Amino acid sequence: MMDHQFQKTTQDEYDLFFSMEGEAAESHGFLGYLRGDYGRDGREFHTTWFDGQPELKTDIFRGEFDELINYLRDASLDPVEGPDVFKFHCLQNMRRRVMDTEVRFKIVTEGYSYYFRCQPQVSDYHLYCLCFDNCFLLPEMEKLYALPRKCFSIHPETGERVLLRRGLNTMERFSSAEPPDELRRNVDRDNARWGVTPEQEAALLKRAMEKTSATVDSTRYTTGAEFWRDTVVKHGPGEAIIVCGDYLDARLRQELYPEGNQFCKELFAAMFEATAGRTDPDKLVYPYPPQEATERGERSIYFEHRDRHNECATAIGAAISNSYFKLHHYNLDIAAMTVIQQYGFPRVNAVLARVIQRADYDGRYSAANKRWAREIPLPEKAFEYVYMNEHPVLIDGVADRVRELYAELNAERYALPGQSESGEAVEGYKITRAITFDDQRGFAIAAHPTAGYVCWMFRTDRGGRDYYWGHYCENEQDAAANYVARVMEHMSGGAREEPQRVIPLAHAPEQPQHKTRDRREDR
């Protein structure tokens, strides 16, 4: 019996989700791939096999692969029930959330590796399984892992500065007015900051030049939004975030003229709009102190997020240091973008607010930033270990940039998970915001003209909602905190947000109209 454990993959394995030919197929031991779809009604399961290197297909492989396909047909996953069911089981096995409708994972046995690309809702073909012989694949991956994750280099044909990334077959070009000798010195300096040796740069450049068709030339785009859209088309949303995120990270160490800075702002805005509407619990801030988290049964979430606050503070400090490009000059705009993209506005705002609150006496922080910091509510003790050693003037500058970006992008729209709503009324309470998950559960905030606020859980049933398990609150801030905590706890079990739908039918909750204090009932 083979091991059917679903495993996460990394950026380095990007190539292995697509068919290979020629030398690449030989060096990686590519046997071929299976393509599957569920038919028009979603209740069939058709497959087609495409050979890569048929001479590698042994009887051992055939038996193991047949067992794997039978496993996928098994009732525990039951793809025959349709793509939504298969997608749900993929996510459950992976214990992960994805930005879009594509799920990727692998199953590795002693002799073979199987890479799955599942597209249950966005493609004519819902499933791809690419098969590799480990005798070839594992040594090839060891060579890849010996290379740096990314580095700068100089394109041998055009003389341009390029950013190379291990695993993703792209080469990003940067227009530069630097003389050749100065450009070489600057590239070596930047690579040294990443711990990249000249030999490693040469090896990564050689691999990249073998795949020149995948070069990303950002210089041919007039706006950052165009760059984002084209990268999504070429690589998909998941890889586009990595490609464009690395682009911003690379710009961190360069002197930018106004047009270059504007290009990065447009790119960041496009990335933000594409991702902010999908709830990522890792970018939310858990709203309760440790004692209340314990009472709610959410102690592990509290400590996980407390550690993430500390990581965020360290990342902000590193971004400031890395943005230094010449004496007394820093790219604080790009520094703010890179940490927001990684940790989200709520956490970056909270970390900066805590640092500034602690130094309220320090005149090097602006009065405007001190007022802003005081207005951000922070749960007790959650930020007590958050410290930054960078100069206050630089931290104040990052806070300025974060606040500017927050206002320009109207990020307040995404301060809470889910979508804003209006019009639906339940026993005098008007629903103002709601989020629905792929397990047909969800949460909603509702306001009453005189009775205050409530955070309900609900089930979706026959196009309507059945509200129950209400937590009644006296003010909007308490209701929002309750809503965020319940969403985070629910998503910690693997639930994923579903696109918002218009709900025409409302069912009255079974709760009494009086206020209760976080009363938990059986789900």
Side-chain angles (χ1 to χ4, degrees):
M1 176 68 69
M2 65 180 292
D3 183 5
H4 299 121
Q5 181 179 0
F6 289 33
Q7 298 181 26
K8 296 181 180 180
T9 60
T10 66
Q11 171 184 317
D12 298 323
E13 297 168 285
Y14 176 81
D15 277 354
L16 305 180
F17 288 101
F18 301 93
S19 180
M20 295 182 176
E21 297 179 352
E23 184 179 342
E26 294 178 6
S27 61
H28 289 81
F30 178 60
L31 292 93
Y33 70 94
L34 181 85
R35 185 180 69 193
D37 71 86
Y38 299 96
R40 293 184 178 179
D41 60 0
R43 301 194 61 81
E44 305 172 24
F45 190 44
H46 307 294
T47 60
T48 307
W49 171 263
F50 296 86
D51 269 328
Q53 298 181 90
E55 65 273 14
L56 296 180
K57 295 195 314 185
T58 65
D59 291 339
I60 295 176
F61 166 74
R62 291 187 179 92
E64 186 173 285
F65 191 64
D66 287 343
E67 182 183 336
L68 176 60
I69 297 304
N70 288 334
Y71 169 71
L72 293 178
R73 296 179 185 276
D74 188 82
S76 62
L77 290 179
D78 201 0
V80 179
E81 290 187 20
D84 287 337
V85 173
F86 186 45
K87 178 182 174 184
F88 173 75
H89 284 289
C90 287
L91 292 167
Q92 287 294 99
N93 277 272
M94 289 297 296
R95 293 292 188 267
R96 60 175 289 199
R97 294 163 293 276
V98 293
M99 293 171 43
D100 49 61
T101 53
E102 182 171 275
V103 182
R104 296 183 181 182
F105 60 90
K106 65 180 178 181
I107 294 177
V108 180
T109 68
E110 183 178 352
Y112 301 93
S113 295
Y114 305 93
Y115 284 79
F116 290 87
R117 196 169 86 247
C118 306
Q119 304 175 115
Q121 295 177 341
V122 297
S123 175
D124 292 336
Y125 300 105
H126 303 109
L127 171 68
Y128 293 85
C129 175
L130 295 98
C131 308
F132 298 88
D133 188 328
N134 286 343
C135 291
F136 297 88
L137 178 64
L138 297 184
E140 189 68 19
M141 295 305 293
E142 287 180 4
K143 296 178 186 177
L144 181 64
Y145 293 144
L147 298 176
R149 193 180 76 83
K150 59 185 177 182
C151 75
F152 284 111
S153 189
I154 300 175
H155 198 288
E157 297 174 0
T158 65
E160 298 171 291
R161 176 192 282 252
V162 293
L163 175 66
L164 312 174
R165 286 187 312 283
R166 185 184 77 189
L168 282 179
N169 296 327
T170 58
M171 184 188 302
E172 295 165 21
R173 295 175 178 171
F174 295 82
S175 59
S176 175
E178 300 165 292
D181 291 344
E182 184 178 344
L183 177 60
R184 182 69 260 176
R185 287 196 301 271
N186 292 339
V187 166
D188 291 341
R189 178 201 64 196
D190 292 339
N191 283 341
R193 290 177 176 174
W194 284 338
V196 177
T197 66
E199 293 76 16
Q200 290 175 318
E201 177 198 342
L204 200 57
L205 178 63
K206 179 181 177 182
R207 291 181 65 95
M209 289 302 295
E210 294 171 354
K211 308 175 186 297
T212 53
S213 61
T215 299
V216 174
D217 184 5
S218 60
T219 62
R220 68 185 180 89
Y221 299 101
T222 57
T223 68
E226 290 179 5
F227 180 31
W228 165 255
R229 286 194 296 269
D230 197 46
T231 307
V232 170
V233 170
K234 290 181 178 179
H235 303 284
E239 269 68 38
I241 285 292
I242 298 173
V243 170
C244 295
D246 278 349
Y247 176 89
L248 291 176
D249 189 52
R251 287 297 197 183
L252 192 63
R253 298 166 177 81
Q254 295 184 341
E255 181 176 6
L256 295 179
Y257 296 101
E259 58 271 18
N261 198 52
Q262 181 62 27
F263 185 94
C264 290
K265 280 191 172 183
E266 293 166 351
L267 174 60
F268 175 76
M271 297 167 67
F272 176 79
E273 291 295 338
T275 59
R278 302 291 290 173
T279 301
D280 183 351
D282 290 336
K283 293 183 178 180
L284 298 175
V285 174
Y286 183 76
Y288 292 114
Q291 182 176 352
E292 193 158 355
T294 301
E295 294 172 357
R296 297 173 61 91
E298 297 163 352
R299 186 177 176 85
S300 62
I301 298 177
Y302 166 83
F303 283 109
E304 176 185 344
H305 282 259
R306 189 190 68 175
D307 292 343
R308 194 150 176 81
H309 301 331
N310 302 338
E311 293 174 11
C312 180
T314 302
I316 295 173
I320 291 174
S321 299
N322 292 335
S323 71
Y324 176 83
F325 60 89
K326 68 179 181 181
L327 186 63
H328 305 315
H329 288 76
Y330 294 80
N331 275 335
L332 297 184
D333 286 301
I334 309 299
M337 294 176 201
T338 57
V339 292
I340 292 168
Q341 183 59 36
Q342 184 176 2
Y343 291 95
F345 270 113
R347 195 179 311 282
V348 173
N349 285 346
V351 167
L352 289 172
R354 176 54 179 156
V355 172
I356 296 173
Q357 286 177 12
R358 188 181 279 125
D360 192 64
Y361 61 88
D362 195 328
R364 291 171 292 185
Y365 292 104
S366 69
N369 282 339
K370 288 180 181 179
R371 287 193 299 270
W372 167 76
R374 294 189 201 106
E375 294 172 357
I376 295 180
L378 302 177
E380 181 185 352
K381 295 186 178 181
F383 292 84
E384 63 181 337
Y385 300 114
V386 167
Y387 290 93
M388 292 179 62
N389 296 320
E390 286 65 37
H391 196 283
V393 171
L394 296 175
I395 299 174
D396 192 63
V398 171
D400 286 337
R401 272 64 170 191
V402 170
R403 292 175 55 209
E404 290 170 6
L405 289 170
Y406 193 85
E408 291 173 3
L409 298 173
N410 190 19
E412 185 68 26
R413 295 171 294 161
Y414 306 110
L416 294 176
Q419 306 290 331
S420 61
E421 295 189 5
S422 61
E424 183 177 1
V426 182
E427 291 193 354
Y429 286 85
K430 279 197 171 184
I431 305 297
T432 60
R433 197 168 192 89
I435 183 172
T436 306
F437 299 103
D438 53 5
D439 59 357
Q440 288 73 54
R441 303 292 180 94
F443 297 94
I445 298 178
H448 192 281
T450 59
Y453 295 83
V454 62
C455 175
W456 276 312
M457 191 173 191
F458 62 79
R459 295 187 184 93
T460 56
D461 183 26
R462 297 185 299 277
R465 291 175 178 171
D466 179 19
Y467 294 91
Y468 64 105
W469 194 10
H471 292 180
Y472 292 79
C473 307
E474 294 183 357
N475 57 64
E476 186 176 7
Q477 183 175 322
D478 288 348
N482 197 288
Y483 176 75
V484 169
R486 296 177 79 177
V487 167
M488 293 172 70
E489 191 276 335
H490 194 69
M491 296 189 78
S492 68
R496 193 174 71 92
E497 181 182 5
E498 284 288 347
Q500 193 73 8
R501 298 179 176 86
V502 176
I503 306 295
L505 175 64
H507 298 282
E510 299 178 358
Q511 309 288 5
Q513 284 281 357
H514 62 273
K515 299 180 180 67
T516 64
R517 177 62 175 172
D518 290 343
R519 180 165 54 87
R520 290 185 172 271
E521 300 175 5
D522 186 6
R523 297 191 184 190

